[in-house]
Amino acid sequence: MNDLRVNDLRSISLNVRDLAASADFYGRVWGLEKVSQDAGSIYFRTTGANHHSLSIHEAPLASLNCVTFAAPDKATVLALHAKALSMGVEVVEAPAELAQVAGGGFGFSLRSPEGHVFRISADVAAHSSAIEDRTRPNRLSHVVINSVDRVQHEAFFRDSLGFRLSDTTDHLTFLRCAKDHHSIALAKAKGSCIHHIAYELPDLDSLLFGAGACASLAWTWNMESDATAPATTSIRSSSSPMASPANTPPAWTRLRTRRAMSRTIRNGGTARACAVLIAGAWSAHAASACCWRHPASS
């Protein structure tokens, strides 16, 4: 295989301290739909056809559990596993059939240089049809990870999984494995952990309707703007169950529009609404409004 690589972002798994409260947020507020569960774990889908885009797992510490990428077939999974072994990458789980509660399929997992677990899978079950609701997220767009050594982390994604560099700044490295501008981004930081998760909605009107639905559930709007950042709208909740001192600070969402949209037009990409969900050390939550699709296929 001359072009051995993953070809999409499939799902993300989070460890959470309060499974019931987290499930209420992702379902009732964020608009995801529960599709399966077992002891201590719940799986959620967007309105798209993928089996699930998020799973949450009860644990003592809120943290990133795993990010799963799609491979086109079982042969690619096996070839990527062999490549990882040849490069000395730590394999956490050898290639095997995956749990039916998570959609089944075939895959393996490996660990990045900064300790994060990534799974590669193929032949995972999909839903027969999409859900017709434009106010809810329709797919997982990208994941951003705080990284201590972005150069080393970038090399891991490019050499082990076949990612390609889309863009880089002083603070961010954007990597793609599909048509999206990026499926993974690495943010310059002093510690390695999750930065944010991005969910996509069909268009800006859908984003605003979805934000309105959040506001109707005791979320309040705050407008903010400065000279160095895009115009933003934030939604904060003081009544979220995630906000108790024993658990996390208040959940929050942010919608970015102006500068991201102008960059989209300059780069010839297609503007799309995108909901971003922060799930860092305190399991805060956020939403962002724009990203752009890479003009080339990869």
Side-chain angles (χ1 to χ4, degrees):
M1 295 184 185
N2 297 324
D3 192 21
L4 188 62
R5 60 191 177 95
V6 299
N7 63 355
D8 206 354
L9 173 63
R10 190 185 296 281
S11 64
I12 186 165
S13 301
L14 302 176
N15 294 324
V16 299
R17 284 173 284 191
D18 188 328
L19 190 68
S22 296
D24 178 71
F25 173 83
Y26 292 116
R28 184 176 62 88
V29 178
W30 203 246
L32 303 183
E33 181 175 299
K34 183 170 71 174
V35 294
S36 59
Q37 68 181 92
D38 58 11
S41 300
I42 303 176
Y43 297 80
F44 295 89
R45 67 175 289 191
T46 63
T47 61
N50 279 353
H51 179 270
H52 69 279
S53 67
L54 170 73
S55 63
I56 54 176
H57 310 272
E58 196 155 37
L61 179 67
S63 61
L64 174 63
N65 179 296
C66 177
V67 176
T68 299
F69 299 109
D73 48 42
K74 184 176 179 179
T76 303
V77 171
L78 291 171
L80 284 168
H81 172 253
K83 183 180 181 181
L85 290 177
S86 70
M87 295 177 60
V89 175
E90 180 186 352
V91 173
V92 180
E93 297 173 332
E97 299 296 324
L98 301 176
Q100 290 300 312
V101 69
F106 184 83
F108 77 100
S109 60
L110 68 172
R111 196 181 307 276
S112 76
E114 296 191 2
H116 301 301
V117 176
F118 297 92
R119 180 175 292 115
I120 294 85
S121 64
D123 302 328
V124 177
H127 299 285
S128 59
S129 62
I131 298 171
E132 293 299 325
D133 187 344
R134 297 178 66 82
T135 68
R136 295 162 54 191
N138 61 7
R139 67 184 289 264
L140 181 62
S141 174
H142 63 263
V143 175
V144 180
I145 296 173
N146 288 327
S147 178
V148 177
D149 188 337
R150 286 193 297 156
V151 174
Q152 183 187 41
H153 225 163
E154 177 191 338
F156 164 78
F157 284 105
R158 296 180 69 174
D159 298 341
S160 302
L161 300 177
F163 276 76
R164 298 178 182 180
L165 180 67
S166 288
D167 199 1
T168 186
T169 71
D170 289 341
H171 298 285
L172 286 163
T173 299
F174 300 94
L175 298 160
R176 70 185 188 275
C177 63
K179 291 183 178 181
D180 293 299
H181 175 263
H182 62 286
S183 295
I184 285 285
L186 306 172
K188 181 179 180 181
K190 295 182 179 180
S192 188
C193 61
I194 192 167
H195 183 285
H196 73 258
I197 310 162
Y199 278 86
E200 182 177 315
L201 286 92
D203 51 44
L204 190 56
D205 284 344
S206 300
L207 181 89
L208 296 176
F209 276 115
C214 290
S216 71
L217 296 171
W219 293 64
T220 58
W221 291 86
N222 294 303
M223 297 297 296
E224 52 187 67
S225 180
D226 60 53
T228 59
T232 64
T233 302
S234 296
I235 311 173
R236 298 177 183 270
S237 172
S238 58
S239 60
S240 168
M242 303 297 288
S244 64
N247 200 349
T248 59
W252 57 281
T253 62
R254 171 169 293 178
L255 315 179
R256 294 186 177 90
T257 55
R258 186 182 306 154
R259 186 167 298 171
M261 188 69 75
S262 65
R263 180 181 181 187
T264 295
I265 295 169
R266 287 200 306 272
N267 285 280
T270 302
R272 298 175 299 154
C274 179
V276 174
L277 184 144
I278 297 290
W282 296 287
S283 297
H285 307 280
S288 169
C290 289
C291 60
W292 60 281
R293 188 175 295 278
H294 203 273
S297 61
S298 60

